[in-house]
Amino acid sequence: MKPGCYFDYYEPLLRINPDGMFPQPGVPSPQPMTPSDFEQAPGSPTDLGPEYTQGYLRTQIGKRMRVTFLLGTSTIQDRTGVLKEVGISYIVLREEETNSDVLCDIYSIKFVNIFPA
């Protein structure tokens, strides 16, 4: 009889899984969850309307704007460009000087100045 705290390295069913669990003989190991397995909370918006920042900014795509960001607790920085894209947590501005795209964190935005066309 073997004590329960020793591993039998010759027993193939007692190898360690990547999740660190020791499988039991005859018991299938659990499968990892994928993002599609999670349920969405009731009332969570799936399509952000104009009452949300992202929804309103989507109505302004193609317009020139200056976006002011608060970085940390006291650093203010602004970017000027044409709004190209709006995601859940980001916006993409096309900078005029360099003609390059800048990905910006939407949660750091404090002010948006939208210039007339």
Side-chain angles (χ1 to χ4, degrees):
M1 182 169 182
K2 294 185 268 183
C5 62
Y6 292 108
F7 298 108
D8 185 354
Y9 291 104
Y10 299 105
E11 177 64 47
L13 294 177
L14 292 180
R15 292 192 181 124
I16 299 175
N17 284 345
D19 61 0
M21 303 285 292
F22 296 100
Q24 300 292 325
V27 177
S29 32
Q31 297 297 320
M33 292 184 75
T34 61
S36 62
D37 294 336
F38 294 103
E39 291 184 21
Q40 188 171 359
S44 295
T46 55
D47 183 29
L48 297 174
E51 64 272 6
Y52 294 94
T53 303
Q54 296 92 331
Y56 178 75
L57 286 174
R58 280 194 182 129
T59 66
Q60 305 301 312
I61 289 177
K63 292 188 178 177
R64 186 173 166 268
M65 57 183 57
R66 182 177 64 229
V67 183
T68 305
F69 301 91
L70 176 63
L71 307 174
T73 57
S74 61
T75 304
I76 297 285
Q77 192 174 82
D78 65 346
R79 300 280 189 204
T80 303
V82 176
L83 183 63
K84 281 188 62 179
E85 186 178 342
V86 179
I88 296 293
S89 63
Y90 67 90
I91 64 169
V92 177
L93 288 176
R94 169 69 53 114
E95 288 189 325
E96 299 163 335
E97 298 85 24
T98 61
N99 204 28
S100 62
D101 293 342
V102 179
L103 180 75
C104 309
D105 177 31
I106 203 164
Y107 300 112
S108 300
I109 294 175
K110 293 302 166 197
F111 302 101
V112 177
N113 296 73
I114 301 168
F115 301 115

